[in-house]
Amino acid sequence: MSVLLMQLAGPLQSWGASSRFARRTTEAAPTKSGVIGLLAAAEGRLRTDDIDDLAALRFGVRIDQRGTLLRDFHTAHHFAGGEAMPVSERFYLADAVFVAGVEGEGETVERLHRALREPVFPLYLGRRSCPPSRPVELRTHHDLTLEEALEAEEWQAASWYQRRRDTVSLEILVEGPGEDTLRDQPLSFDPLHRRYALRGIRHLQSVPVSKTVVRPGHDPMSALESV
């Protein structure tokens, strides 16, 4: 098996798993359905296309910078009839950074890596209003498990965030039998019949990391360093 690692960083992110009606919440970390949707967009798949091969990938995420919960209000119109919909309450994660990974066959991982470098459709972090501030693709591993790759990756938090901390322990969430479940296993992204199943989540022991040297021009959030 091989692993594709991605960095998910931006001013705003929103990863819903149970949002319905006028209240759209976000999970504290990226969901599998959201990341699989991102990969499908990179490959140019339509929402009605089959995603069984992507859904079969094993998913994990490391929380490098938790961010701040933010609430906003939105107006919208129905995509089919155009009628106005109720004002919705929406939640986001501001200034968060995550390292996400998917594990699968080497050929599939390399294909997805190429797609992230030249995506067909624009990539976004859970919602269309949340574009990434860094390139999403990080690297591939063909000799590490998903857990090992997430543990070995250098700390991706913004430089201003790292300077406030000497050493931290990062939480890792991986797919598999565990103490939690979440309904974010994608079955269909068809707008007329979206379907998601439950999947297990295992919390790994926190991984201690030290500061990394941020190269000039590497940190798009550097404009916030003086704040």
Side-chain angles (χ1 to χ4, degrees):
M1 288 294 181
S2 300
V3 176
L4 169 63
L5 292 183
M6 298 158 274
Q7 58 176 339
L8 307 176
L12 293 176
Q13 306 186 37
S14 188
W15 306 97
S18 59
S19 302
R20 299 188 67 185
F21 307 112
R23 182 178 173 86
R24 307 295 178 88
T25 59
T26 179
E27 297 296 320
T31 58
K32 182 177 182 179
S33 58
V35 173
I36 293 301
L38 182 150
L39 293 172
E43 288 201 299
R45 302 197 193 193
L46 302 179
R47 290 182 178 270
T48 53
D49 288 344
D50 181 78
I51 56 167
D52 287 349
D53 59 327
L54 298 182
L57 296 169
R58 186 162 166 259
F59 175 70
V61 63
R62 191 182 75 187
I63 303 174
D64 281 34
Q65 184 173 325
R66 288 190 176 275
T68 304
L69 188 65
L70 181 145
R71 183 178 66 172
D72 195 13
F73 297 91
H74 279 232
T75 59
H77 289 77
H78 198 278
F79 78 97
E83 65 271 16
M85 301 178 70
V87 175
S88 61
E89 183 182 24
R90 305 195 180 195
F91 293 83
Y92 301 86
L93 299 174
D95 291 336
V97 180
F98 305 96
V99 174
V102 291
E103 183 183 66
E105 297 295 336
E107 182 178 344
T108 301
V109 165
E110 288 296 338
R111 187 191 77 227
L112 293 173
H113 191 207
R114 292 192 298 269
L116 287 178
R117 289 179 170 178
E118 297 182 358
V120 176
F121 296 134
L123 307 181
Y124 51 87
L125 307 178
R127 291 200 184 122
R128 295 178 189 175
S129 59
C130 302
S133 60
R134 307 178 189 176
V136 172
E137 58 92 12
L138 269 178
R139 68 193 91 258
T140 60
H141 292 281
H142 299 288
D143 55 350
L144 298 177
T145 65
L146 178 61
E147 290 86 348
E148 292 169 342
L150 289 171
E151 291 176 0
E153 184 59 35
E154 69 177 31
W155 194 15
Q156 297 296 326
S159 58
W160 62 265
Y161 187 88
Q162 291 193 29
R163 281 204 302 269
R164 297 177 183 178
R165 298 157 176 83
D166 291 323
T167 302
V168 298
S169 293
L170 306 181
E171 184 179 5
I172 294 178
L173 312 174
V174 294
E175 181 174 353
E179 56 269 33
D180 290 335
T181 59
L182 192 65
R183 190 173 293 280
D184 71 335
Q185 173 68 29
L187 301 177
S188 172
F189 289 140
D190 188 332
L192 298 178
H193 192 50
R194 291 189 180 96
R195 292 183 295 130
Y196 305 94
L198 288 171
R199 70 177 179 94
I201 299 176
R202 183 160 52 96
H203 295 254
L204 297 187
Q205 185 175 0
S206 296
V207 179
V209 297
S210 299
K211 292 181 179 180
T212 58
V213 177
V214 180
R215 301 182 297 276
H218 175 70
D219 185 6
M221 294 184 179
S222 60
L224 301 176
E225 291 180 357
S226 60
V227 177

